[in-house]
Amino acid sequence: MRILRKSVLTGNVNTMDINVTDEQFTKYLGSNECIQNVLPELSVDEREFLISGITPDEWDNTFSFTTISLDAEEA
């Protein structure tokens, strides 16, 4: 199923193809349970997308860090 969600990070409307049925998606939307209990077969990235609209690329671009060496010998 192709799902559209608005990213809480960028405000962009993103789409992702997720292997869920209409019934499963409706159950998730109407549930107060944790998403991993309702849709345990989905990947972490898919669950995050359903919750926040954040794609893996947006996540990586927002939260990627550069490693800086503090070792004086490498300077």
Side-chain angles (χ1 to χ4, degrees):
M1 168 186 288
R2 176 163 274 181
I3 299 175
L4 283 79
R5 304 293 279 179
K6 184 176 181 178
S7 170
V8 298
L9 285 178
T10 64
N12 294 336
V13 176
N14 297 313
T15 62
M16 185 180 280
D17 288 319
I18 299 178
N19 190 19
V20 293
T21 64
D22 287 335
E23 182 179 283
Q24 289 172 309
F25 189 58
T26 301
K27 181 180 177 182
Y28 159 67
L29 292 175
S31 176
N32 289 326
E33 286 188 63
C34 294
I35 191 169
Q36 59 266 35
N37 294 336
V38 178
L39 299 168
E41 65 281 359
L42 298 184
S43 70
V44 172
D45 288 340
E46 291 169 326
R47 292 193 304 256
E48 183 60 43
F49 178 78
L50 290 178
I51 293 167
S52 66
I54 300 171
T55 65
D57 286 341
E58 284 181 322
W59 188 268
D60 291 343
N61 290 335
T62 302
F63 299 108
S64 64
F65 300 97
T66 302
T67 303
I68 299 172
S69 175
L70 299 177
D71 186 354
E73 292 178 19
E74 293 182 23

